Amino acid sequence: MSLELEPRVETLEALMADTLRVVRATSLEVDRLSREMREFKDEMRSFKAEINKRWGDLAASLGTVVEDIVAPSIPRVLREVFACPAEAIEFSAVRLRRKHPTLSDYNREFDTVAAGCGYFLTVESKIRLDIGAVNEFAGRLPEVKEFFPEFAARDYRFVGAVAGLYVDPSVAAFAEKRGLIVLGTGDDLMTVLNSPGFTPRAY
């Protein structure tokens, strides 16, 4: 090897050695990042599973609003609105599914119903009540008597109520205009939020 080539070869060998060190370091870094990404994905899967579980638990607990808060308040609501004492309530049910007496493929589920003193009360419960839910319920309310012909035959007056854990005053006013009793959280579980002297619409 000529004296002229020796420095170039040495420089090339040094560059190759440097390149090899860089490749090795990069490979180690890639391996480290890949390992960390796998660990991160595993953590995210575990986190997602935990979040889904908590959402499920929350949904289950919110699903008991009717049983735990609304239903126990119905006797007091009937007493306050219709002067109907608890001992005069002859029928009440929670989450009742009922088939239409003449349309075999048509059925409905009712959150809470109660009958007494000539009134049949149907309550629709929401976590957060809004105008859309009020409108939908008010539109379906006239057909309730079709599902309970035994009370319609006795000339019971069918009335409706909407209940929510939070009821905006504007929603309460709207529901009242639709002739509905409005129930919201208060000192005694569910409190009647209607204006003094309000008379619910009967069907």
Side-chain angles (χ1 to χ4, degrees):
M1 183 179 296
S2 69
L3 294 176
E4 293 181 0
L5 289 177
E6 284 183 4
R8 294 182 181 179
V9 169
E10 291 176 356
T11 300
L12 182 59
E13 289 177 345
L15 287 173
M16 290 179 65
D18 287 342
T19 300
L20 185 58
R21 281 194 296 272
V22 170
V23 169
R24 286 175 177 170
T26 301
S27 178
L28 290 174
E29 183 66 14
V30 168
D31 289 343
R32 184 184 69 80
L33 290 174
S34 178
R35 185 175 64 255
E36 289 180 356
M37 283 300 296
R38 285 195 301 270
E39 292 172 355
F40 177 73
K41 287 179 180 179
D42 290 341
E43 289 176 1
M44 286 302 295
R45 274 195 294 269
S46 298
F47 177 72
K48 185 177 180 180
E50 179 64 21
I51 289 295
N52 288 341
K53 180 180 180 300
R54 293 190 181 186
W55 271 117
D57 293 343
L58 178 60
S61 66
L62 293 180
T64 65
V65 167
V66 174
E67 293 88 344
D68 296 342
I69 299 178
V70 178
S73 302
I74 295 307
R76 182 174 46 78
V77 171
L78 287 172
R79 186 179 68 248
E80 288 183 14
V81 179
F82 303 112
C84 185
E87 59 270 19
I89 298 175
E90 56 186 284
F91 170 77
S92 64
V94 176
R95 295 205 182 281
L96 175 67
R97 182 169 290 278
R98 190 95 165 188
K99 287 186 176 182
H100 194 281
T102 58
L103 304 175
S104 58
D105 59 342
Y106 186 33
N107 61 72
R108 274 185 58 180
E109 182 176 297
F110 300 89
D111 288 349
T112 310
V113 292
C117 302
Y119 291 93
F120 189 97
L121 175 66
T122 304
V123 185
E124 177 88 351
S125 303
K126 299 291 184 182
I127 300 303
R128 186 183 178 92
L129 196 63
D130 58 33
I131 287 177
V134 171
N135 251 338
E136 182 182 357
F137 176 65
R140 291 186 289 115
L141 192 57
E143 72 175 13
V144 172
K145 62 174 58 180
E146 297 177 19
F147 288 87
F148 298 92
E150 66 272 32
F151 291 98
R154 295 164 59 190
D155 293 325
Y156 267 58
R157 286 171 284 182
F158 285 73
V159 295
V162 286
L165 292 184
Y166 171 77
V167 182
D168 187 271
S170 63
V171 176
F174 178 81
E176 185 171 301
K177 287 181 181 178
R178 294 299 307 263
L180 300 173
I181 300 167
V182 186
L183 307 176
T185 51
D187 295 334
D188 298 310
L189 291 181
M190 302 305 291
T191 298
V192 177
L193 303 179
N194 295 89
S195 305
F198 166 76
T199 300
R201 181 178 180 182
Y203 295 88

